[in-house]
Amino acid sequence: MSRRKDQRQKTILDRLAISPTLRVGRLAEDMGVTTETIRRDLEELTAQGLIARTYGGAMLRQPAEPALSERHKELVEERAAIAAAAVPLLAGAHVVMMGSGATTTQVARRMAQEMGQITVIAHSVSVAATLSANPTIQVLMAPGLYHPGEGAMHGSATLRFLSDLTADWCVTGASALTPAGPLDALIEAGDVYATMLRQSARHMVVADGSKIGRIATARYGDWADIDTLVTDVAPHGPLERALTLGAVEVCVAEVRT
């Protein structure tokens, strides 16, 4: 691949990380090349599995998120380090709302070890079961439609339940971290997390560095809505600028190797 083509295709991928979809005509105009050149670039990126073609343009390919049971086996050290960095930030909280996911389950495990005399509002069976190891933590389990792959409750009953409660903090995971905000692969989970944000005084996102630069379906908030991001890889580029603009405190956990 020529250096010029390589740079052009990298630019396309960088722009798709910011804008979910791009048009061929606009790309050609911005880069000063023909639409045929852009179409060839998009065809090559599609063949590599990096993007998906749309009518007249392209979007980043959205990898299918594995079931929670599989995610629990991945990036264990990274997620444990994130949890170790996140839990001290919750000191003084009396009520915490928690989303589902492998990282939030690690946070719940750390909370069970280090916190007590608190109430946790959960919609994840994994989070609730993990917290139950500490008898001084009261768990309120949200009702709803059970999602077997995620092991969590979703739907209108879940949203109504959460809307009647308030919390000092909410802690949510993310399938993707983009300049536009945190996203989840499940639209239903995105609805739950957006409700948790509205009902909580402070908001924390916990997500490992593999989520940076990904794309997912449901954006559940702007970075201006988030107080703290705890991750294991320092954000850079457009994401770093968006976090700074949103006044998000970024805590980078140290992973022991």
Side-chain angles (χ1 to χ4, degrees):
M1 181 185 296
S2 71
R3 184 175 180 179
R4 183 175 298 177
K5 181 193 291 186
D6 183 59
Q7 182 59 45
R8 197 169 56 239
Q9 293 187 4
K10 182 179 183 302
T11 299
I12 291 171
L13 293 173
D14 288 344
R15 291 185 61 178
L16 281 171
I18 301 172
S19 301
T21 60
L22 292 174
R23 308 292 294 177
V24 168
R26 180 62 181 273
L27 284 169
E29 180 182 347
D30 290 351
M31 295 187 193
V33 297
T34 66
T35 55
E36 289 76 13
T37 297
I38 293 298
R39 288 193 180 95
R40 285 195 295 269
D41 287 335
L42 297 181
E43 288 168 4
E44 290 183 14
L45 292 170
T46 300
Q48 296 172 43
L50 298 174
I51 67 170
R53 291 298 306 274
T54 63
Y55 182 76
M59 62 184 294
L60 281 180
R61 184 176 295 279
Q62 299 182 21
E65 180 147 280
L68 181 62
S69 59
E70 293 301 314
R71 304 204 307 276
H72 278 313
K73 304 172 188 177
E74 302 169 347
L75 302 170
V76 176
E77 293 81 5
E78 289 83 355
R79 287 169 171 151
I82 289 168
V87 169
L89 302 177
L90 301 175
H94 299 288
V95 181
V96 179
M97 288 188 178
M98 294 191 68
S100 62
T103 307
T104 49
T105 299
Q106 286 281 359
V107 174
R109 181 172 291 112
R110 197 81 181 194
M111 290 171 67
Q113 295 169 356
E114 298 184 3
M115 300 182 74
Q117 306 301 326
I118 61 170
T119 297
V120 177
I121 301 163
H123 75 125
S124 162
V125 174
S126 175
V127 166
T130 300
L131 290 167
S132 69
N134 184 335
T136 73
I137 297 178
Q138 176 178 257
V139 179
L140 296 183
M141 187 69 193
L145 183 64
Y146 183 69
H147 188 290
E150 190 64 17
M153 303 299 186
H154 298 139
S156 58
T158 310
L159 302 183
R160 285 196 299 271
F161 175 83
L162 294 173
S163 295
D164 287 335
L165 302 170
T166 59
D168 303 303
W169 276 96
C170 72
V171 180
T172 58
S175 303
L177 302 174
T178 75
L183 297 89
D184 199 86
L186 294 175
I187 294 174
E188 300 91 336
D191 290 339
V192 170
Y193 299 165
T195 302
M196 287 182 170
L197 290 183
R198 288 195 299 270
Q199 300 303 117
S200 302
R202 303 192 70 187
H203 321 123
M204 178 189 295
V205 173
V206 290
D208 66 83
S210 72
K211 308 301 171 49
I212 296 173
R214 286 189 181 181
I215 193 70
T217 304
R219 182 169 67 91
Y220 61 84
D222 300 320
W223 287 119
D225 301 322
I226 308 300
D227 294 282
T228 305
L229 168 65
V230 186
T231 184
D232 63 309
V233 176
H236 60 278
L239 176 58
E240 181 183 18
R241 291 193 290 273
L243 291 166
T244 300
L245 187 63
V248 180
E249 177 188 5
V250 179
C251 178
V252 180
E254 182 178 350
V255 181
R256 295 181 180 178
T257 57

